[in-house]
């Protein structure tokens, strides 16, 4: 566990040294694109703010580079979509903006490691604030 924390800290240091923005400076709606189905949140919106309206679909599409574990929505402001809906490749979740409010979307990505192979233990953390407006 300690190695995982150290690896995450090292990654954060490398990202900020390479021009990443600090956590205290949210980037409104950066890394978000519109789709016919709603708003798509991508890795580019990490540590940013996404604005949507009640009724919009919010697609969490963090890609295929890591094995992503997205924390479930709160069920009030953001609600899970239909469980039988097929997710496009690189999409981890599709939610509905159900009520006005603010909620954080958090996810952890780990290295995809082939079975029986030794791999680096690394975690990538993702967080974005979703503001749902009436």
């Amino acid at each position: 566990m300690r190695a995982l924390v150290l690896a995450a800290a090292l990654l954060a240091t490398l990202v900020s040294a390479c021009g990443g923005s600090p956590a205290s400076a949210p980037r409104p709606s950066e890394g978000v694109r519109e789709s016919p189905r709603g708003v798509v949140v991508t890795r580019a919106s990490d540590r940013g703010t996404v604005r949507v309206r009640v009724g919009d679909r919010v697609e969490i599409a963090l890609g295929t580079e890591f094995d992503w574990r997205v924390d479930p929505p709160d069920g009030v402001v953001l609600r899970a979509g239909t469980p039988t809906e097929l997710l496009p490749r690189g999409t981890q979740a599709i939610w509905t903006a159900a009520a006005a409010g603010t909620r954080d979307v958090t996810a952890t990505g780990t290295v995809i490691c082939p079975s029986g192979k030794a791999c680096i233990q690394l975690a990538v953390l993702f967080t974005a604030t979703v503001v749902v407006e009436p």
Side-chain angles (χ1 to χ4, degrees):
M1 182 67 184
R2 181 178 174 171
L4 184 62
V5 171
L6 290 174
L10 176 62
L11 180 64
T13 302
L14 290 173
V15 168
S16 63
C18 294
S21 64
S24 62
R27 299 164 301 205
S29 298
E30 189 173 311
V32 176
R33 66 180 191 268
E34 297 290 327
S35 82
R37 297 182 306 200
V39 175
V40 181
V41 178
T42 67
R43 284 185 59 197
S45 60
D46 188 24
R47 295 179 283 166
T49 300
V50 177
R51 297 189 182 282
V52 298
R53 296 211 175 270
V54 171
D56 285 351
R57 288 170 46 110
V58 180
E59 183 176 331
I60 311 301
L62 302 177
T64 59
E65 184 179 0
F66 295 98
D67 182 18
W68 290 100
R69 304 275 188 251
V70 179
D71 292 345
D74 68 318
V76 176
V77 174
L78 297 172
R79 290 193 184 144
T82 309
T84 57
E85 184 175 12
L86 293 176
L87 298 176
R89 181 169 163 76
T91 297
Q92 290 70 35
I94 297 176
W95 300 337
T96 300
T102 302
R103 290 295 180 264
D104 287 336
V105 174
T106 56
T108 304
T110 55
V111 174
I112 300 170
C113 187
S115 180
K117 299 283 184 177
C119 291
I120 186 170
Q121 295 297 312
L122 174 75
V124 177
L125 306 176
F126 171 90
T127 185
T129 301
V130 176
V131 177
V132 180
E133 299 170 341

